[in-house]
Short mmCIF file of all heavy atoms in Angstrom, two decimals:
data_model
loop_
_atom_site.label_atom_id
_atom_site.label_comp_id
_atom_site.label_asym_id
_atom_site.label_seq_id
_atom_site.Cartn_x
_atom_site.Cartn_y
_atom_site.Cartn_z
N PRO B 24 14.51 123.48 -101.72
CA PRO B 24 14.02 122.14 -101.36
C PRO B 24 14.34 121.75 -99.92
O PRO B 24 13.54 121.06 -99.28
CB PRO B 24 14.76 121.23 -102.35
CG PRO B 24 15.09 122.10 -103.51
CD PRO B 24 15.37 123.44 -102.91
N ALA B 25 15.49 122.21 -99.39
CA ALA B 25 15.83 121.89 -98.00
C ALA B 25 14.84 122.53 -97.04
O ALA B 25 14.40 121.90 -96.06
CB ALA B 25 17.25 122.36 -97.70
N VAL B 26 14.48 123.78 -97.29
CA VAL B 26 13.49 124.46 -96.44
C VAL B 26 12.13 123.78 -96.55
O VAL B 26 11.43 123.58 -95.53
CB VAL B 26 13.39 125.95 -96.82
CG1 VAL B 26 12.23 126.61 -96.09
CG2 VAL B 26 14.70 126.67 -96.50
N LYS B 27 11.73 123.41 -97.75
CA LYS B 27 10.45 122.71 -97.93
C LYS B 27 10.46 121.35 -97.25
O LYS B 27 9.45 120.91 -96.69
CB LYS B 27 10.15 122.56 -99.43
CG LYS B 27 9.85 123.89 -100.12
CD LYS B 27 9.82 123.75 -101.63
CE LYS B 27 8.69 122.90 -102.09
NZ LYS B 27 8.60 122.84 -103.57
N PHE B 28 11.61 120.67 -97.25
CA PHE B 28 11.73 119.40 -96.54
C PHE B 28 11.52 119.60 -95.04
O PHE B 28 10.76 118.86 -94.39
CB PHE B 28 13.09 118.77 -96.80
CG PHE B 28 13.44 117.65 -95.87
CD1 PHE B 28 12.90 116.38 -96.06
CD2 PHE B 28 14.28 117.86 -94.78
CE1 PHE B 28 13.21 115.34 -95.19
CE2 PHE B 28 14.59 116.82 -93.92
CZ PHE B 28 14.05 115.56 -94.12
N LEU B 29 12.19 120.61 -94.46
CA LEU B 29 12.06 120.86 -93.03
C LEU B 29 10.62 121.25 -92.68
O LEU B 29 10.08 120.79 -91.66
CB LEU B 29 13.02 121.97 -92.61
CG LEU B 29 14.52 121.62 -92.70
CD1 LEU B 29 15.36 122.85 -92.36
CD2 LEU B 29 14.86 120.47 -91.76
N LEU B 30 10.00 122.08 -93.51
CA LEU B 30 8.63 122.51 -93.26
C LEU B 30 7.68 121.31 -93.31
O LEU B 30 6.83 121.13 -92.42
CB LEU B 30 8.21 123.56 -94.30
CG LEU B 30 6.79 124.11 -94.18
CD1 LEU B 30 6.61 124.85 -92.86
CD2 LEU B 30 6.48 125.04 -95.35
N GLY B 31 7.82 120.47 -94.33
CA GLY B 31 6.95 119.31 -94.46
C GLY B 31 7.17 118.30 -93.34
O GLY B 31 6.21 117.79 -92.75
N ALA B 32 8.44 117.99 -93.04
CA ALA B 32 8.73 117.00 -92.00
C ALA B 32 8.22 117.47 -90.64
O ALA B 32 7.64 116.69 -89.87
CB ALA B 32 10.23 116.74 -91.94
N LEU B 33 8.40 118.75 -90.33
CA LEU B 33 7.93 119.27 -89.04
C LEU B 33 6.41 119.26 -88.97
O LEU B 33 5.83 118.96 -87.92
CB LEU B 33 8.46 120.69 -88.84
CG LEU B 33 8.12 121.36 -87.50
CD1 LEU B 33 8.61 120.51 -86.33
CD2 LEU B 33 8.70 122.76 -87.44
N ALA B 34 5.74 119.57 -90.08
CA ALA B 34 4.28 119.57 -90.10
C ALA B 34 3.73 118.18 -89.81
O ALA B 34 2.83 118.01 -88.97
CB ALA B 34 3.77 120.07 -91.45
N PHE B 35 4.25 117.15 -90.47
CA PHE B 35 3.76 115.79 -90.26
C PHE B 35 4.15 115.28 -88.87
O PHE B 35 3.40 114.51 -88.26
CB PHE B 35 4.29 114.87 -91.35
CG PHE B 35 3.57 115.03 -92.66
CD1 PHE B 35 4.02 115.94 -93.61
CD2 PHE B 35 2.44 114.29 -92.95
CE1 PHE B 35 3.37 116.10 -94.81
CE2 PHE B 35 1.77 114.45 -94.15
CZ PHE B 35 2.23 115.36 -95.08
N PHE B 36 5.31 115.71 -88.37
CA PHE B 36 5.71 115.31 -87.02
C PHE B 36 4.77 115.90 -85.98
O PHE B 36 4.37 115.21 -85.03
CB PHE B 36 7.14 115.77 -86.75
CG PHE B 36 7.57 115.60 -85.32
CD1 PHE B 36 7.91 114.35 -84.83
CD2 PHE B 36 7.62 116.70 -84.47
CE1 PHE B 36 8.30 114.20 -83.50
CE2 PHE B 36 8.00 116.55 -83.15
CZ PHE B 36 8.34 115.29 -82.66
N LEU B 37 4.38 117.17 -86.14
CA LEU B 37 3.48 117.80 -85.18
C LEU B 37 2.09 117.16 -85.23
O LEU B 37 1.43 117.03 -84.19
CB LEU B 37 3.39 119.30 -85.47
CG LEU B 37 4.63 120.12 -85.14
CD1 LEU B 37 4.48 121.55 -85.60
CD2 LEU B 37 4.92 120.07 -83.65
N ILE B 38 1.64 116.77 -86.42
CA ILE B 38 0.34 116.09 -86.51
C ILE B 38 0.39 114.77 -85.76
O ILE B 38 -0.52 114.44 -84.98
CB ILE B 38 -0.06 115.88 -87.98
CG1 ILE B 38 -0.34 117.23 -88.66
CG2 ILE B 38 -1.30 114.98 -88.09
CD1 ILE B 38 -0.60 117.12 -90.15
N SER B 39 1.44 113.99 -85.99
CA SER B 39 1.57 112.69 -85.31
C SER B 39 1.71 112.86 -83.81
O SER B 39 1.19 112.05 -83.03
CB SER B 39 2.77 111.93 -85.86
OG SER B 39 2.58 111.58 -87.22
N SER B 40 2.41 113.91 -83.37
CA SER B 40 2.64 114.12 -81.95
C SER B 40 1.38 114.53 -81.21
O SER B 40 1.21 114.21 -80.03
CB SER B 40 3.72 115.17 -81.73
OG SER B 40 4.94 114.78 -82.33
N ASN B 41 0.48 115.25 -81.88
CA ASN B 41 -0.69 115.81 -81.21
C ASN B 41 -1.98 115.03 -81.48
O ASN B 41 -2.84 114.97 -80.59
CB ASN B 41 -0.88 117.26 -81.64
CG ASN B 41 0.20 118.17 -81.09
OD1 ASN B 41 0.12 118.63 -79.97
ND2 ASN B 41 1.24 118.43 -81.89
N VAL B 42 -2.14 114.47 -82.64
CA VAL B 42 -3.36 113.69 -82.95
C VAL B 42 -2.96 112.36 -83.58
O VAL B 42 -3.61 111.89 -84.52
CB VAL B 42 -4.32 114.48 -83.88
CG1 VAL B 42 -4.94 115.63 -83.15
CG2 VAL B 42 -3.58 114.98 -85.12
N GLY B 43 -1.92 111.75 -83.06
CA GLY B 43 -1.44 110.49 -83.62
C GLY B 43 -2.25 109.31 -83.11
O GLY B 43 -1.79 108.55 -82.24
N PHE B 44 -3.45 109.15 -83.64
CA PHE B 44 -4.34 108.07 -83.19
C PHE B 44 -4.11 106.76 -83.94
O PHE B 44 -4.48 105.71 -83.45
CB PHE B 44 -5.80 108.49 -83.36
CG PHE B 44 -6.14 109.79 -82.67
CD1 PHE B 44 -6.82 110.80 -83.33
CD2 PHE B 44 -5.76 110.01 -81.35
CE1 PHE B 44 -7.13 111.99 -82.70
CE2 PHE B 44 -6.05 111.20 -80.71
CZ PHE B 44 -6.74 112.19 -81.38
N MET B 45 -3.52 106.81 -85.12
CA MET B 45 -3.27 105.60 -85.90
C MET B 45 -1.82 105.17 -85.69
O MET B 45 -0.88 105.88 -86.05
CB MET B 45 -3.55 105.83 -87.39
CG MET B 45 -3.39 104.59 -88.26
SD MET B 45 -3.79 104.89 -90.01
CE MET B 45 -5.57 105.10 -89.91
N ALA B 46 -1.65 103.99 -85.11
CA ALA B 46 -0.31 103.52 -84.73
C ALA B 46 0.61 103.39 -85.93
O ALA B 46 1.81 103.69 -85.83
CB ALA B 46 -0.43 102.20 -83.98
N ARG B 47 0.10 102.93 -87.05
CA ARG B 47 0.95 102.71 -88.22
C ARG B 47 1.56 104.02 -88.74
O ARG B 47 2.69 104.03 -89.24
CB ARG B 47 0.15 102.05 -89.33
CG ARG B 47 -0.31 100.62 -89.01
CD ARG B 47 -1.09 100.05 -90.17
NE ARG B 47 -1.55 98.68 -89.89
CZ ARG B 47 -2.28 97.95 -90.71
NH1 ARG B 47 -2.65 98.46 -91.90
NH2 ARG B 47 -2.65 96.74 -90.37
N LEU B 48 0.81 105.10 -88.63
CA LEU B 48 1.29 106.38 -89.14
C LEU B 48 2.16 107.13 -88.15
O LEU B 48 2.69 108.20 -88.47
CB LEU B 48 0.10 107.26 -89.55
CG LEU B 48 -0.74 106.75 -90.72
CD1 LEU B 48 -1.86 107.73 -91.02
CD2 LEU B 48 0.12 106.53 -91.96
N LYS B 49 2.32 106.59 -86.93
CA LYS B 49 3.17 107.24 -85.93
C LYS B 49 4.63 106.82 -86.05
O LYS B 49 5.47 107.21 -85.23
CB LYS B 49 2.67 106.94 -84.52
CG LYS B 49 1.34 107.62 -84.19
CD LYS B 49 1.00 107.48 -82.72
CE LYS B 49 1.94 108.31 -81.88
NZ LYS B 49 1.57 108.29 -80.44
N ASN B 50 4.94 106.04 -87.06
CA ASN B 50 6.33 105.63 -87.30
C ASN B 50 7.20 106.87 -87.52
O ASN B 50 6.85 107.74 -88.31
CB ASN B 50 6.38 104.71 -88.52
CG ASN B 50 7.74 104.05 -88.68
OD1 ASN B 50 8.77 104.69 -88.58
ND2 ASN B 50 7.73 102.75 -88.91
N PRO B 51 8.34 106.97 -86.83
CA PRO B 51 9.19 108.16 -86.99
C PRO B 51 9.68 108.38 -88.41
O PRO B 51 10.06 109.51 -88.76
CB PRO B 51 10.37 107.87 -86.05
CG PRO B 51 9.86 106.87 -85.07
CD PRO B 51 8.86 106.04 -85.81
N LEU B 52 9.67 107.34 -89.23
CA LEU B 52 10.13 107.51 -90.61
C LEU B 52 9.09 108.21 -91.48
O LEU B 52 9.45 108.74 -92.54
CB LEU B 52 10.47 106.15 -91.22
CG LEU B 52 11.70 105.43 -90.64
CD1 LEU B 52 11.87 104.06 -91.30
CD2 LEU B 52 12.94 106.28 -90.83
N VAL B 53 7.83 108.22 -91.05
CA VAL B 53 6.78 108.83 -91.87
C VAL B 53 7.03 110.33 -92.09
O VAL B 53 6.97 110.81 -93.23
CB VAL B 53 5.40 108.58 -91.26
CG1 VAL B 53 4.32 109.36 -92.01
CG2 VAL B 53 5.07 107.09 -91.28
N PRO B 54 7.31 111.13 -91.04
CA PRO B 54 7.61 112.54 -91.30
C PRO B 54 8.81 112.75 -92.21
O PRO B 54 8.82 113.69 -93.02
CB PRO B 54 7.87 113.11 -89.90
CG PRO B 54 7.15 112.20 -88.98
CD PRO B 54 7.28 110.85 -89.59
N VAL B 55 9.82 111.89 -92.10
CA VAL B 55 11.00 112.02 -92.96
C VAL B 55 10.63 111.76 -94.42
O VAL B 55 11.01 112.53 -95.32
CB VAL B 55 12.11 111.05 -92.51
CG1 VAL B 55 13.31 111.14 -93.44
CG2 VAL B 55 12.52 111.35 -91.07
N VAL B 56 9.87 110.69 -94.65
CA VAL B 56 9.46 110.36 -96.02
C VAL B 56 8.57 111.48 -96.59
O VAL B 56 8.76 111.91 -97.74
CB VAL B 56 8.73 109.01 -96.05
CG1 VAL B 56 8.15 108.75 -97.44
CG2 VAL B 56 9.67 107.89 -95.65
N MET B 57 7.62 111.95 -95.80
CA MET B 57 6.73 113.01 -96.28
C MET B 57 7.49 114.31 -96.46
O MET B 57 7.14 115.13 -97.31
CB MET B 57 5.58 113.19 -95.31
CG MET B 57 4.67 111.98 -95.19
SD MET B 57 4.08 111.36 -96.79
CE MET B 57 3.20 112.78 -97.44
N GLY B 58 8.55 114.53 -95.66
CA GLY B 58 9.39 115.70 -95.88
C GLY B 58 10.09 115.65 -97.22
O GLY B 58 10.22 116.66 -97.91
N LEU B 59 10.55 114.44 -97.60
CA LEU B 59 11.18 114.28 -98.91
C LEU B 59 10.18 114.54 -100.03
O LEU B 59 10.51 115.14 -101.07
CB LEU B 59 11.77 112.87 -99.03
CG LEU B 59 12.95 112.56 -98.09
CD1 LEU B 59 13.34 111.09 -98.20
CD2 LEU B 59 14.14 113.45 -98.43
N VAL B 60 8.94 114.08 -99.83
CA VAL B 60 7.90 114.36 -100.82
C VAL B 60 7.63 115.85 -100.89
O VAL B 60 7.49 116.42 -101.99
CB VAL B 60 6.61 113.59 -100.47
CG1 VAL B 60 5.47 113.99 -101.40
CG2 VAL B 60 6.85 112.08 -100.53
N ALA B 61 7.56 116.51 -99.72
CA ALA B 61 7.30 117.95 -99.69
C ALA B 61 8.38 118.74 -100.39
O ALA B 61 8.12 119.80 -100.96
CB ALA B 61 7.17 118.41 -98.24
N ALA B 62 9.62 118.25 -100.37
CA ALA B 62 10.71 118.96 -101.04
C ALA B 62 10.56 118.98 -102.55
O ALA B 62 11.14 119.85 -103.21
CB ALA B 62 12.05 118.32 -100.65
N ALA B 63 9.76 118.07 -103.09
CA ALA B 63 9.65 117.94 -104.54
C ALA B 63 8.32 118.46 -105.09
O ALA B 63 8.15 118.51 -106.31
CB ALA B 63 9.83 116.48 -104.95
N VAL B 64 7.39 118.86 -104.21
CA VAL B 64 6.07 119.31 -104.68
C VAL B 64 5.80 120.71 -104.15
O VAL B 64 6.45 121.16 -103.19
CB VAL B 64 4.97 118.33 -104.22
CG1 VAL B 64 5.21 116.93 -104.80
CG2 VAL B 64 4.89 118.27 -102.70
N PRO B 65 4.82 121.42 -104.72
CA PRO B 65 4.46 122.75 -104.20
C PRO B 65 3.91 122.65 -102.77
O PRO B 65 3.41 121.60 -102.35
CB PRO B 65 3.39 123.24 -105.18
CG PRO B 65 3.61 122.46 -106.43
CD PRO B 65 4.12 121.12 -105.99
N CYS B 66 3.97 123.76 -102.06
CA CYS B 66 3.50 123.77 -100.68
C CYS B 66 2.01 123.48 -100.58
O CYS B 66 1.55 122.90 -99.59
CB CYS B 66 3.80 125.12 -100.04
SG CYS B 66 5.56 125.41 -99.70
#
Side-chain angles (χ1 to χ4, degrees):
V26 171
K27 291 169 66 176
F28 166 78
L29 293 176
L30 180 63
L33 183 57
F35 283 91
F36 171 77
L37 289 174
I38 293 174
S39 295
S40 300
N41 290 276
V42 290
F44 305 131
M45 183 178 289
R47 293 180 180 178
L48 295 181
K49 290 190 69 175
N50 191 314
L52 292 177
V53 173
V55 177
V56 173
M57 296 309 300
L59 293 174
V60 173
V64 299
C66 289

